[in-house]
Amino acid sequence: MPPRLLLNPASLNLVRPELARLIRQAQTEFDSAVQQDPGAHDLGPCREMLAQADGVLRMIELGDAALLTRELGELLKALPLDNPRAMEAITRAFFVLARYLDYLGGRRQAAPELLLEHINALRGLLGRDALGEASFSQLVILPDRHCPPPAAGGEEVTDALLRRLRHHYQVGLIGVIKGRSDPVHLRLMQRAAERMCRLSGGGAAADFWWLLTGVLEGMVLGQLRSNPARARLLSRADRQFRDFLQKPDTRASARLGDDLRGELLYLVAKCRDGKRIREIQSLCEVVDAAPPDQQLVEERKLLMGTSVDSIDSMVRLLKGDMHRIKDELEQAASATEPRPAT
């Protein structure tokens, strides 16, 4: 399994001061524009600095930060500054971009998962499709690894059964979409997907349901958290139900697209336990190929913590206060010293 977006710390440390300067100056230009009449201020210098930062980031092969920088520059060009959602997304992107450079200091791997939310926020405002969680993954998808055949004696496929399974899945999905990702709703979906996996007969035609059951198992076990992007991914199953019902002649020849396969497989790779999870990871050779959700929660806290520049400023401020307090104490001590008797 290839490593996850390896990073050269020496290269990053060499260019980080220049990157920090470019981002800081671009943000200053943006802040100045916000305080003035948006229609009368030229954001060209801000976008030019971001373009330079993008070039440097691509030179050191830090593609995730480069993409965030590029999307930020394009949003600044496309939307007026009086758009509240755009203002919030731009401000947050500047903040996260500066923090990310500090976060990566001394590390040997990038963490694009931490930037994906912010990249997609900018893309949404630009009218672009959101990137999937596996967009920066280096998972190798082996083309000859498919769902194992079910045990002998499979049940008969009838329209009534398919409609019932679809209804059960939809009930669980509605709960997830409404924010009720409890085991009851998730297990309802899991059981429906398991039945569909058996009804599909194994092999390539059953790959979607096979991988989906792994994702749902991870969610039931609490190893995968629910979020809007994952709810949208789970909603893809309803189309599969519909096609299975309406196109019986193509059931055996159905094939899972590479993008959807990659997204499902990436989520399974994030899990560490579960019968179906272990089966998929073993057959597809993706064990420990992606960071678990809990690890990302901790890494996100580190990313949003105090930056190096903030720490330096705080240290300088504290040093100044210490010198001032020392001087005041010395003056107070001098004033209270007993004077020699005359």
Side-chain angles (χ1 to χ4, degrees):
M1 181 58 55
R4 294 177 52 249
L5 291 181
L6 288 183
L7 179 68
N8 187 329
S11 297
L12 176 60
N13 290 336
L14 188 64
V15 300
R16 189 163 61 178
E18 176 64 10
L19 282 170
R21 182 189 67 80
L22 288 169
I23 294 168
R24 187 166 53 247
Q25 290 185 358
Q27 186 168 13
T28 299
E29 289 286 338
F30 171 72
D31 291 341
S32 177
V34 171
Q35 296 167 9
Q36 300 180 30
D37 177 9
H41 194 86
D42 180 17
L43 279 173
C46 175
R47 295 198 303 270
E48 176 60 29
M49 291 168 191
L50 288 173
Q52 292 180 39
D54 173 35
V56 174
L57 289 165
R58 283 192 284 176
M59 180 184 68
I60 62 173
E61 298 183 347
L62 198 56
D64 51 351
L67 180 57
L68 179 59
T69 304
R70 199 155 53 250
E71 300 282 5
L72 178 55
E74 293 183 18
L75 184 59
L76 286 169
K77 183 179 180 180
L79 290 181
L81 296 182
D82 58 356
N83 182 315
R85 288 183 59 221
M87 285 287 296
E88 181 181 354
I90 291 168
T91 301
R92 184 175 291 273
F94 269 122
F95 176 82
V96 170
L97 189 57
R99 297 280 194 181
Y100 192 57
L101 297 177
D102 291 340
Y103 165 85
L104 291 178
R107 295 175 181 267
R108 304 197 67 85
Q109 287 184 343
E113 298 88 355
L114 301 179
L115 299 187
L116 192 59
E117 171 190 354
H118 308 287
I119 291 171
N120 281 336
L122 300 178
R123 289 178 66 86
L125 288 164
L126 287 165
R128 298 173 179 171
D129 292 337
L131 299 179
E133 291 188 59
S135 297
F136 294 99
S137 170
Q138 294 189 342
L139 282 176
V140 174
I141 300 177
L142 303 174
D144 59 340
R145 306 302 170 90
H146 299 295
C147 174
E155 57 190 317
E156 181 184 0
V157 181
T158 65
D159 288 354
L161 173 60
L162 294 176
R163 290 192 183 94
R164 187 167 67 252
L165 293 177
R166 185 184 187 185
H167 174 71
H168 290 169
Y169 189 91
Q170 288 173 333
V171 170
L173 179 62
I174 290 172
V176 171
I177 292 173
K178 290 183 176 180
R180 299 194 297 269
S181 300
D182 55 88
V184 174
H185 289 92
L186 291 169
R187 285 199 177 97
L188 197 61
M189 299 166 68
Q190 184 185 16
R191 286 194 292 268
E194 288 279 5
R195 293 279 295 277
M196 288 300 299
C197 187
R198 292 196 296 271
L199 293 174
S200 298
D207 281 352
F208 172 80
W209 302 107
W210 182 52
L211 295 174
L212 180 63
T213 56
V215 172
L216 289 167
E217 184 178 48
M219 297 183 77
V220 167
L221 295 174
Q223 298 176 46
L224 291 174
R225 298 167 181 260
S226 178
N227 59 41
R230 291 175 184 176
R232 288 193 297 270
L233 184 64
L234 295 178
S235 299
R236 301 281 291 270
D238 195 57
R239 287 182 235 169
Q240 300 287 336
F241 273 111
R242 184 193 60 204
D243 290 345
F244 209 85
L245 268 165
Q246 297 178 355
K247 303 175 182 178
D249 295 338
T250 63
R251 291 171 184 172
S253 60
R255 294 296 180 269
L256 182 59
D258 289 343
D259 290 343
L260 184 53
R261 180 188 299 274
E263 288 296 317
L264 293 168
L265 195 55
Y266 175 80
L267 292 178
V268 174
K270 291 169 69 66
C271 302
R272 297 295 180 261
D273 194 23
K275 182 178 179 181
R276 178 55 55 85
I277 287 167
R278 289 193 298 270
E279 176 186 79
I280 294 172
Q281 290 178 345
S282 176
L283 285 174
C284 298
E285 301 179 20
V286 294
V287 178
D288 295 338
D293 275 7
Q294 185 56 44
Q295 180 184 337
L296 289 180
V297 170
E298 299 303 320
E299 294 299 321
R300 191 169 285 108
K301 291 178 182 178
L302 293 175
L303 171 66
M304 305 305 284
T306 306
S307 68
V308 172
D309 287 342
S310 298
I311 292 173
D312 290 341
S313 299
M314 190 180 298
V315 168
R316 287 194 295 270
L317 182 61
L318 289 173
K319 282 183 178 178
D321 287 343
M322 290 175 65
H323 285 306
R324 178 177 55 78
I325 293 170
K326 178 176 178 290
D327 292 339
E328 291 176 354
L329 289 173
E330 289 177 347
Q331 291 174 8
S334 299
T336 56
E337 286 180 0
R339 297 188 178 183
T342 57

